[in-house]
Amino acid sequence: MTPDHFRKQLGFAGLCAAPLTLVTAVPALAQGLVPASLGGIAPFAVAIGAGGFALLSMVLVRTLLTDSRAARRRAAEQIADLRALVDEYENLIAGTRELTVLWQGHEAPRILGQTGAVLPSGRQPQSVLNFHTWLGPAETNRLTSLVEDLRLHGHAFVTSLDTRDGRLVRANGWVMGGAVALRLRPAFSQSDEHAASSAEAQGGDREGARAILALLSKPAFLRDEADRLIYANPAYLKLAADLGRATGDANPPELLDATQLALHLKTCHADAAPVNLPLDFGRHGQFELVDFPVPGGRAGYLRPNEKVGALPAPGEQDATHIGGIIDALGTPIAIFNARRELTQFNAAYANLWNLDRKFLTLGLDERAILDKLRTEGMLPSQVDYHTWRAKHLESYARKEPHEAEPWHLPDGRTIKVISAPAAPDGGVIYVFEDLTERLELESTNKAFTNVLRETIMALNEAVAVFGTNGRLTLSNPQLSKLWKLPMNELGNNPHIDRLAEASGRAIPEDGAAIWRDLKRTIIDLNPTRTDRQGRITRSDGRLIDYAITRLPNGQTMMTFLDVTESAGYSKVLKERNDALVAADRLKDAFVENVSYELRSPLTNIIGFADLLADTEGGTLNERQREYIDYIRASSVTLGVLIDNILDLASVDAGIAELNPEPLDVTALVHKARAGMSASFPEVSGEAAHLVVDIAPDLPLFIADGTRLVQVLYNLLSNAARFSPPGGEIRLAVSHRGDRMLFVIEDEGPGLTDEMKSAILTRLDNPASGGRQRGAGLGLSIVRTFVNLHGGTISAERREPKGSRIIVNLPLDSALAGVAE
């Protein structure tokens, strides 16, 4: 009853009650002319009026209650009618060969219709939303995009989809009020849509055959009564594509040409047993086509030339269910009929449970198999085995495929068991899968992932991994430290936009701009995109090297490294290297000047000194002649110094070469001795200061004579500089095996430890003391020319004083020559 109706009823009651009160009060007032009697009659009249009002109110309330119950009854009848109408519509939709998915608000989607119209047999209706389970990758992506566009923007669509099992499905999406709907239906009507019950049985058996054929790794197919291909597994379709057969039609392509196919089918119809046909597909291999009858048509598969042996089970050749298809499977399969009798199995099943073929015979009860496996310790450990077995045997009563809990066997294996109805009249198909290796791989992968995560956490580089939706999926503490991000405030898996905002607050000048540029690399869906790397110069002066790597799963990994300090070091090193290059160029220019600017005046000095020394008569006194001798000696020394500088320059430039030739050791020593006498006149050829000891019968010695004279001259000059007056200098030449030894000894102050450690860089250290100071080039030339000959040089102290330098050269430097 409405409020207005209630107010009207209440007003009517008031109007009726007021006259009633007046009627009951008037006689009393009429008789009470005397004022004294008026006080006793008035209360009585008021009481009678109130009672009448109460009576009328009760009548009104009962009327209101009656009307309310009638209204609720009418509303319930209307709701029941609407529900019945909805049920009729749902039944009508469920009776059609199509599947409808309805999204309304934030509620879970409703799925109406026949699942088998779109999905393979045995699938749950909810699995239609898992597009990848019944569509290929390309079709999955296309349908997902269309559905998202429909739900987000309301864009309707109509399209066709190719399913994994070779069917063509029409998809229609539209908006209806505040909801959206997706309808899926077969593009073509099936020939057995309205078949009789026997045809339905054949269809159920055909679906069982499809389930088995889909598991085959070999090409397999299924034909209907009219010999039309109605199903082909993925291996068949791949082979057809390799052979150039079109695979885009609703029906699978034929691998045989029309003549071969007609002849083959004629042979198949003439013989009820399996028929084998050899096929040669050239470079794609040779196969044997095995074709055998099944209820409602024929099935077959292609196998390599070698014969695939069948299990020796009695009555196998009479099987008309799915024949020998399962023999080619590597997956263990066993089929039992409604009486729990074994009707078909493959070698993989026998091997899985290690069952003897003499025991595993057709017609064996499954309970006997389970009991034997329990006796041999091959089943999961159970406290109440009989209850466990009864629960397992409930698979015979199921109408849909069922996956049981994994069996954890005592031998450490883990087995997955899937049961599915074998036929409409009962029976079970068991499919077993050994999960042991997969679980071990998953465990290893999990451990590896944990190690990888810990490794990333310990890196000095900042790491950030973003998903395709732009959200952060993995990071390490260095990311927060480098970019000053409060990760504890951003929450789990923040979007890159939030990182940009936080970075903008921490680095106001360019933090947000840098992250916006990085965002473009994440949302870039170009399949040809490549990895990137570069350097970021932040406004706070930090230099950040970054690298962007595309991960195989579609995610993007970014790594950041603060290279501010190393970049500063690189700058300093570059400046120092530039300085060294400039110094090297200056040295080259100096050597070029020495070769011309110094040698020309030196030649004049030597020439005029010789001219003055050869002057006849007594023009020059003794002191003047002594000065001229010093000029000549110093000029010779300066000439040798210039030659040494030029030789070192040629070695540094890599243009120094040896001219090996057979040498006379005595002549070499004589030339070096003559040069020393010219530089040090006080060391005369007959004096006892220089003693030469050349061993007799020296072998043939092949080397560069000019270079060796320089070596001996510099060693003897070095010894003369540091020898005291009257000290003895000894040069000994001998051979040992295929080596020639030159030993120079002196009686100078000897080699200090510092000089011995510097033997390969500088032997004539002026700090050692001596009568003369060297320029530091003589023994550098010695070391360089000895190395060019493939020899070695060493120095040691003599007792009680003096030093010994040993030059060890190969007898044939032409064979052992080594360029420094």
Side-chain angles (χ1 to χ4, degrees):
M1 179 177 294
T2 63
D4 291 340
H5 183 63
F6 178 78
R7 285 194 294 269
K8 290 178 181 178
Q9 294 288 348
L10 187 61
F12 174 75
L15 291 175
C16 294
L20 180 61
T21 304
L22 293 175
V23 170
T24 55
V26 165
L29 293 175
Q31 296 176 5
L33 299 175
V34 180
S37 62
L38 183 62
I41 297 174
F44 179 75
V46 171
I48 293 176
F53 179 76
L55 181 62
L56 289 176
S57 298
M58 291 179 61
V59 173
L60 178 62
V61 169
R62 289 182 62 86
T63 304
L64 292 175
L65 292 175
T66 302
D67 292 343
S68 177
R69 284 194 295 269
R72 287 198 300 270
R73 185 170 57 254
R74 287 193 300 272
E77 290 175 353
Q78 291 176 356
I79 292 173
D81 293 340
L82 291 175
R83 287 179 176 174
L85 185 60
V86 170
D87 292 340
E88 290 179 1
Y89 287 154
E90 289 186 354
N91 292 334
L92 180 62
I93 294 175
T96 60
R97 291 189 56 81
E98 62 183 33
L99 198 63
T100 303
V101 183
L102 180 66
W103 288 275
Q104 191 169 11
H106 299 286
E107 299 178 358
R110 297 181 61 192
I111 301 175
L112 307 172
Q114 295 185 6
T115 306
V118 177
L119 301 178
S121 176
R123 297 287 182 87
Q124 296 292 333
Q126 291 78 8
S127 63
V128 72
L129 298 178
N130 298 328
F131 300 146
H132 66 277
T133 61
W134 55 281
L135 293 175
E139 296 288 56
T140 298
N141 294 336
R142 187 161 66 92
L143 182 57
T144 301
S145 177
L146 291 173
V147 171
E148 289 181 355
D149 199 25
L150 171 67
R151 298 186 62 187
L152 295 178
H153 307 292
H155 295 165
F157 66 88
V158 177
T159 186
S160 298
L161 303 169
D162 292 321
T163 64
R164 287 181 177 272
D165 55 6
R167 291 182 294 172
L168 187 65
V169 173
R170 294 285 291 175
N172 184 11
W174 73 96
V175 179
M176 38 181 289
V180 295
L182 169 66
R183 183 174 63 190
L184 303 169
R185 60 182 178 82
F188 302 99
S189 300
Q190 305 298 321
S191 58
D192 56 345
E193 271 188 27
H194 308 288
S197 58
S198 59
E200 293 177 358
Q202 290 181 357
D205 188 63
R206 186 178 298 164
E207 291 300 325
R210 283 174 182 258
I212 297 298
L213 293 175
L215 299 175
L216 278 174
S217 61
K218 299 179 176 61
F221 58 89
L222 189 66
R223 297 183 185 276
D224 60 9
E225 298 90 338
D227 294 329
R228 292 177 302 180
L229 277 177
I230 58 174
Y231 174 74
N233 68 352
Y236 182 99
L237 296 176
K238 182 179 183 303
L239 177 60
D242 293 341
L243 295 174
R245 307 293 196 272
T247 58
D249 297 332
N251 294 328
E254 293 285 358
L255 298 181
L256 304 178
D257 58 36
T259 304
Q260 288 179 318
L261 180 62
L263 183 61
H264 174 65
L265 293 177
K266 181 178 180 181
T267 305
C268 293
H269 290 302
D271 192 350
V275 177
N276 298 341
L277 175 66
L279 296 175
D280 187 356
F281 292 133
R283 62 185 181 89
H284 297 287
Q286 296 181 350
F287 295 88
E288 185 178 11
L289 174 61
V290 181
D291 197 316
F292 46 87
V294 296
R298 301 185 67 84
Y301 61 93
L302 289 98
R303 63 187 179 191
N305 264 340
E306 59 271 17
K307 180 74 173 178
V308 179
L311 295 175
E316 186 177 16
Q317 297 300 328
D318 299 331
T320 59
H321 186 53
I322 53 175
I325 298 179
I326 65 173
D327 293 338
L329 288 175
T331 302
I333 292 180
I335 302 177
F336 296 85
N337 60 19
R339 297 185 298 275
R340 301 191 183 93
E341 296 174 346
L342 182 64
T343 60
Q344 191 74 8
F345 66 96
N346 60 1
Y349 174 80
N351 295 333
L352 175 68
W353 302 112
N354 196 23
L355 294 174
D356 189 357
R357 298 298 179 84
K358 295 180 180 179
F359 167 78
L360 198 62
T361 58
L362 296 183
L364 185 64
D365 194 289
E366 185 184 4
R367 290 170 293 189
I369 298 176
L370 294 175
D371 293 342
K372 180 175 179 59
L373 293 177
R374 184 200 178 206
T375 302
E376 296 181 355
M378 300 290 289
L379 290 181
S381 300
Q382 299 292 334
V383 177
D384 188 351
Y385 165 72
H386 293 285
T387 302
W388 177 87
R389 188 183 70 175
K391 183 178 179 180
H392 169 72
L393 296 177
E394 291 177 359
S395 56
Y396 288 89
R398 295 190 181 97
K399 302 301 182 183
E400 295 181 349
H402 174 73
E403 180 177 337
E405 292 291 331
W407 292 4
H408 301 285
L409 307 185
D411 59 4
R413 292 183 298 168
T414 300
I415 307 299
K416 181 172 73 173
V417 183
I418 300 175
S419 59
D425 58 349
V428 178
I429 300 176
Y430 289 110
V431 179
F432 302 87
E433 182 180 357
D434 191 343
L435 302 178
T436 309
E437 184 176 356
R438 192 180 78 181
L439 293 178
E440 291 178 354
L441 290 176
E442 290 177 354
S443 177
T444 303
N445 182 63
K446 184 177 180 181
F448 175 76
T449 302
N450 292 334
V451 171
L452 183 61
R453 182 179 293 272
E454 294 299 327
T455 303
I456 290 176
M457 293 300 174
L459 287 176
N460 291 328
E461 296 179 336
V463 178
V465 179
F466 292 91
T468 55
N469 57 358
R471 291 191 173 274
L472 184 68
T473 61
L474 178 64
S475 64
N476 63 351
Q478 293 296 331
L479 181 69
S480 175
K481 179 180 178 181
L482 183 62
W483 291 100
K484 305 175 183 178
L485 300 175
M487 301 302 294
N488 55 338
E489 299 178 8
L490 297 178
N492 296 328
N493 306 116
H495 196 273
I496 191 172
D497 289 337
R498 296 195 61 191
L499 297 182
E501 294 173 1
S503 182
R505 292 191 295 269
I507 311 173
E509 291 81 2
D510 58 357
I514 291 174
W515 278 96
R516 281 196 296 268
D517 292 338
L518 295 174
K519 177 184 176 181
R520 297 191 183 97
T521 63
I522 296 177
I523 63 176
D524 182 12
L525 301 180
N526 184 5
T528 61
R529 62 188 185 275
T530 58
D531 298 342
R532 286 178 50 190
Q533 59 184 4
R535 175 168 294 181
I536 299 172
T537 303
R538 286 196 330 208
S539 58
D540 56 1
R542 311 303 295 180
L543 297 178
I544 311 296
D545 278 354
Y546 73 92
I548 301 175
T549 306
R550 308 294 177 178
L551 302 180
N553 58 359
Q555 295 184 336
T556 303
M557 180 176 70
M558 294 183 179
T559 57
F560 305 92
L561 181 62
D562 190 343
V563 296
T564 307
E565 295 182 1
S566 60
Y569 296 150
S570 299
K571 182 179 180 181
V572 172
L573 291 175
K574 184 178 184 301
E575 292 175 352
R576 177 165 294 185
N577 181 70
D578 293 342
L580 291 175
V581 170
D584 188 64
R585 291 175 180 172
L586 183 61
K587 180 200 69 174
D588 294 341
F590 170 73
V591 171
E592 291 178 0
N593 290 330
V594 166
S595 65
Y596 177 77
E597 300 294 341
L598 295 183
R599 184 171 293 278
S600 296
L602 182 61
T603 303
N604 295 332
I605 293 173
I606 294 174
F608 285 116
D610 291 340
L611 181 61
L612 290 174
D614 294 339
T615 301
E616 296 180 357
T619 307
L620 300 176
N621 57 33
E622 187 63 27
R623 180 176 294 275
Q624 291 173 337
R625 290 185 178 278
E626 185 177 343
Y627 289 161
I628 291 174
D629 290 338
Y630 277 116
I631 292 173
R632 296 173 64 188
S634 298
S635 300
V636 171
T637 302
L638 183 58
V640 173
L641 177 61
I642 294 173
D643 291 338
N644 289 342
I645 293 174
L646 295 176
D647 288 336
L648 284 178
S650 63
V651 171
D652 291 340
I655 60 176
E657 295 181 356
L658 295 179
N659 296 313
E661 59 182 351
L663 300 177
D664 183 356
V665 176
T666 304
L668 289 177
V669 174
H670 178 72
K671 291 180 180 179
R673 184 174 185 175
M676 180 182 174
S677 298
S679 299
F680 300 91
E682 66 273 19
V683 184
S684 63
E686 301 296 333
H689 300 296
L690 178 59
V691 178
V692 178
D693 182 11
I694 301 176
D697 301 328
L698 292 176
L700 179 65
F701 182 45
I702 299 176
D704 189 329
T706 303
R707 303 302 189 188
L708 285 186
V709 169
Q710 288 180 270
V711 168
L712 295 177
Y713 167 78
N714 281 288
L715 291 176
L716 293 174
S717 300
N718 185 74
R721 289 191 185 99
F722 296 101
S723 294
E728 182 181 83
I729 301 172
R730 177 177 293 273
L731 170 60
V733 183
S734 63
H735 80 282
R736 183 180 302 166
D738 59 348
R739 312 290 290 184
M740 185 71 72
L741 302 179
F742 296 86
V743 181
I744 295 92
E745 298 177 336
D746 61 54
E747 296 179 349
L751 295 172
T752 63
D753 293 338
E754 291 78 5
M755 292 182 66
K756 290 178 63 176
S757 63
I759 182 64
L760 296 179
T761 56
R762 198 177 188 110
L763 293 175
D764 48 347
N765 191 346
S768 307
R771 292 183 296 126
Q772 299 187 38
R773 297 290 183 261
L777 295 175
L779 292 178
S780 296
I781 289 294
V782 170
R783 183 188 69 252
T784 300
F785 288 159
V786 169
N787 291 340
L788 283 175
H789 281 81
T792 59
I793 181 172
S794 60
E796 58 187 31
R797 297 186 63 180
R798 294 177 61 197
E799 295 298 338
K801 63 179 181 178
S803 61
R804 178 183 295 110
I805 298 178
I806 303 171
V807 176
N808 189 328
L809 298 174
L811 291 178
D812 191 350
S813 297
L815 299 178
V818 178
E820 186 174 314

